[in-house]
Amino acid sequence: RLMGKALHVATGVRQADFCKSHQQFGVGLPGGVEACVRAVKLTAEVDADSAVLTTGAVNAYNELKRRAMLKGARVHMPEVLPAMSMLYGKPTRLFVRMEDGSERVILSCRGPQQGCPLGNLAFDLGIATPVLRMMEKYPGLGFPTIVDDITIVSHGVEGKAQAGEAMGDLYGRYGRTAGGATILLEPGLLNEVGLRANTSKFKVFCQTGIPPELKARLPADVEYVDSAKGVLVGQCCIGG
């Protein structure tokens, strides 16, 4: 832990520059969360043709593949790779106390460790490549992110359909079974690094209503809200 803290301090400026490159406001940027929420709120209020789509993953921190974290370190911040390899290059031993007082060892093979000073950075390194690919493919969209919560922001009428496509590219495309259950039809970039969509977190806000071309590209159980007060960005409500 001491090594992690020292490395976190030593690479602080580098972390900030890296996070800015892919709109990550929850890691390495003091005051970044508030800035992100305010920026999305301002866009939703001022640009009548904008769309705000919030997303989320199931148990994101514990599901991200460590291979993706290490690959991200090698590609984006090689200076932290030795430490990352030491921390996450092999399964972590977790000690669990059972009801009878005995201890059981569980091997953790995914996600950053709780309390690790490099935990947030490690997670971000694991999702940075998918986000950067989205920014390259959809230069007209914004992807402001607070650690593991990615928001998609579009501008203009034509951007709404792109926002729906981008959500599918990130978290996959879904359909329904005859019984009404939601199923994954086509995996997305985040599925490849171990994350699964938590569609209960998916919300969409557009001042001028949800156009059919956007609705057709979204999961069937996504929530449409008619006020910015119903939209959460990184668990922070942008309305009010």
Side-chain angles (χ1 to χ4, degrees):
R1 183 168 292 187
L2 181 61
M3 176 194 67
K5 286 183 178 180
L7 189 59
H8 180 73
V9 172
T11 61
V13 175
R14 177 74 176 89
Q15 284 187 47
D17 290 340
F18 167 62
C19 291
K20 289 176 186 176
S21 72
H22 58 283
Q23 302 176 33
Q24 171 61 265
F25 291 88
V27 181
L29 296 173
V33 172
E34 182 179 359
C36 177
V37 173
R38 286 181 177 273
V40 175
K41 178 181 179 180
L42 185 63
T43 299
E45 292 177 345
V46 173
D47 185 354
D49 289 322
S50 67
V52 177
L53 289 70
T54 63
T55 70
V58 177
N59 199 23
Y61 244 56
N62 295 318
E63 293 294 334
L64 183 69
K65 294 179 180 178
R66 290 186 173 179
R67 183 172 65 249
M69 292 159 44
L70 294 172
K71 183 177 180 180
R74 184 171 65 252
V75 172
H76 302 295
M77 287 190 67
E79 61 268 43
V80 303
L81 181 58
M84 288 279 292
S85 298
M86 184 183 301
L87 291 169
Y88 299 114
K90 58 183 179 180
T92 305
R93 299 176 71 194
L94 303 180
F95 296 89
V96 181
R97 186 173 297 277
M98 311 304 289
E99 290 184 357
D100 62 2
S102 62
E103 287 189 347
R104 180 181 176 186
V105 177
I106 299 176
L107 295 181
S108 174
C109 301
R110 289 197 177 197
Q113 289 180 260
Q114 272 194 334
C116 175
L118 293 177
N120 282 350
L121 176 63
F123 186 92
D124 184 54
L125 286 166
I127 66 170
T129 295
V131 174
L132 285 165
R133 287 176 63 182
M134 297 301 294
M135 292 173 63
E136 182 179 1
K137 183 175 180 179
Y138 301 102
L141 301 181
F143 296 92
T145 303
I146 298 177
V147 189
D148 60 323
D149 291 308
I150 301 173
T151 300
I152 303 170
V153 180
S154 71
H155 304 277
V157 177
E158 67 284 350
K160 293 179 180 178
Q162 284 193 343
E165 285 291 327
M167 182 179 277
D169 287 350
L170 273 174
Y171 274 109
R173 291 174 172 80
Y174 291 80
R176 284 191 180 275
T177 65
T182 300
I183 57 172
L184 179 64
L185 300 176
E186 179 184 344
L189 295 176
L190 292 178
N191 301 124
E192 295 175 4
V193 297
L195 302 186
R196 296 175 292 121
N198 181 357
T199 54
S200 66
K201 279 186 164 185
F202 285 19
K203 295 187 178 183
V204 182
F205 168 70
C206 300
Q207 272 196 50
T208 53
I210 314 297
E213 59 269 23
L214 172 56
K215 187 173 290 189
R217 291 169 168 81
L218 299 176
D221 52 353
V222 70
E223 181 180 351
Y224 301 98
V225 294
D226 56 10
S227 168
K229 291 183 179 180
V231 179
L232 292 175
V233 176
Q235 305 308 305
C236 301
C237 185
I238 69 171

